[in-house]
Amino acid sequence: MWPGILVAVLACSAVPSVVQADESAEEAGLRIATEARERQKGFGNFTANLTMTLRSKQGRESQRELRLKVIEVDGDGDRTMFVFDRPRDVKGTAFLVHSHKSGPDDQWLYLPALKRVKRISSSKQSGSFMGSEFSYEDMGAVEVEKYTHRFLRNEPCGEFECVVSERIPVGEDSGYSRQVVWLDQEELRTIQVQYFDLTENHLKTMVVEGYQKYLDRYWRGSTISMTNHLTGKSTVLNWSEYEFGTDLDVGDFTQTALRRAR
């Protein structure tokens, strides 16, 4: 599934509140993650607008405006493109992700000032995405197969009752040792994710708020915030103008299309 930052969960029945008698914590964690993924499928494609607010430790803010488009790919992960519109110093910058169910994602960044496409290697995907508190790794799909999973507990989380699980990256290039994920039991929406760095420090926390249902099926968050506990910086993404079933096809998600993004 996404968040990373792209949180898209279908309406579903409640998750069992306890580990079933015939399964281990690892089996329960995998079952929950797999259920969440299966109930996300079928949206086809969508577009949205985003406002990115970067906030320093001292509270100074700067904003960026960008557009997003996403398409499902049968048998593989989603393809995603971000295009920056404002301010002028980042206008025309575009970022393309080909997510994969196993192995590292393919990622490319188009830099209009240089008029070239830069490939983001898997070893560099733990770096900051456009100066934000999201990493390049966070921008890809969170595929079940890229982690081991373990159910931890059930507990209240704000207005929800949540199932809490831990996922550990399988790949060697991840910037995280583990992630702890809160999903609401009723809809399996991501409420919070805590990220731990390779030295087991609690590095960041992502919180998703303002869920709305589209087409009577698809849940989308309207605000996603990422707080870096080591630097005191944060980034907030505000989402708007979701549109499903557009005329996108896989040809809109190539390196050639990345160069033409406007």
Side-chain angles (χ1 to χ4, degrees):
M1 62 178 290
W2 298 329
I5 69 164
L6 303 179
V7 181
V9 181
L10 305 189
C12 60
S13 58
V15 179
S17 60
V18 296
V19 177
Q20 297 175 4
D22 60 345
E23 65 181 354
S24 66
E26 289 74 19
E27 290 169 334
L30 178 58
R31 170 176 53 78
I32 292 165
T34 301
E35 286 184 21
R37 177 183 65 181
E38 290 304 307
R39 288 161 179 169
Q40 294 172 45
K41 292 182 177 178
F43 64 85
N45 65 69
F46 76 89
T47 61
N49 291 341
L50 296 88
T51 299
M52 174 187 285
T53 302
L54 309 177
R55 185 174 294 117
S56 72
K57 183 178 181 179
Q58 294 76 27
R60 293 190 296 271
E61 293 186 354
S62 60
Q63 285 193 336
R64 295 169 176 174
E65 295 180 12
L66 57 155
R67 292 168 282 129
L68 165 75
K69 53 186 178 183
V70 181
I71 192 169
E72 288 183 301
V73 177
D74 290 340
D76 203 359
D78 301 335
R79 296 185 181 181
T80 305
M81 187 183 292
F82 300 85
V83 181
F84 286 80
D85 294 323
R86 294 183 180 83
R88 186 169 60 182
D89 62 341
V90 297
K91 180 178 174 60
T93 301
F95 179 57
L96 174 65
V97 182
H98 288 188
S99 294
H100 302 299
K101 290 187 178 298
S102 61
D105 294 342
D106 292 311
Q107 298 186 341
W108 300 270
L109 184 68
Y110 175 67
L111 303 170
L114 301 178
K115 295 184 179 180
R116 73 180 183 92
V117 173
K118 174 185 177 181
R119 184 181 180 89
I120 309 298
S121 68
S122 59
S123 63
K124 301 294 185 182
Q125 291 179 13
S126 60
S128 168
F129 174 65
M130 296 293 290
S132 74
E133 299 313 304
F134 293 93
S135 69
Y136 287 99
E137 180 179 354
D138 298 331
M139 310 307 287
V142 182
E143 298 291 347
V144 173
E145 294 84 354
K146 291 183 178 180
Y147 301 85
T148 61
H149 303 267
R150 182 165 66 98
F151 170 83
L152 298 179
R153 60 186 179 273
N154 290 276
E155 67 181 22
C157 54
E159 62 183 293
F160 303 106
E161 290 293 326
C162 283
V163 57
V164 186
S165 296
E166 178 185 70
R167 62 191 183 209
I168 297 176
V170 174
E172 297 179 353
D173 291 324
S174 176
Y176 306 120
S177 61
R178 61 190 177 97
Q179 302 170 20
V180 180
V181 184
W182 280 255
L183 304 175
D184 75 289
Q185 290 187 14
E186 183 177 357
E187 306 286 4
L188 278 185
R189 297 168 297 193
T190 300
I191 304 302
Q192 177 178 274
V193 182
Q194 293 182 351
Y195 299 85
F196 294 81
D197 67 17
L198 299 180
T199 57
E200 280 295 320
N201 291 307
H202 180 191
L203 175 62
K204 300 188 298 188
T205 298
M206 183 180 76
V207 176
V208 186
E209 300 174 291
Y211 275 103
Q212 298 182 46
K213 187 186 288 187
Y214 294 85
L215 304 181
D216 202 35
R217 291 185 61 192
Y218 304 107
W219 288 102
R220 295 292 187 273
S222 58
T223 303
I224 301 177
S225 61
M226 183 74 85
T227 300
N228 189 314
H229 302 291
L230 301 187
T231 66
K233 297 179 181 180
S234 62
T235 300
V236 178
L237 290 171
N238 290 305
W239 301 65
S240 62
E241 299 184 46
Y242 284 100
E243 183 178 349
F244 291 82
T246 68
D247 61 355
L248 295 173
D249 60 44
V250 292
D252 296 309
F253 297 84
T254 65
Q255 292 185 57
T256 299
L258 186 66
R259 292 177 180 272
R260 296 174 179 170
R262 295 291 184 272

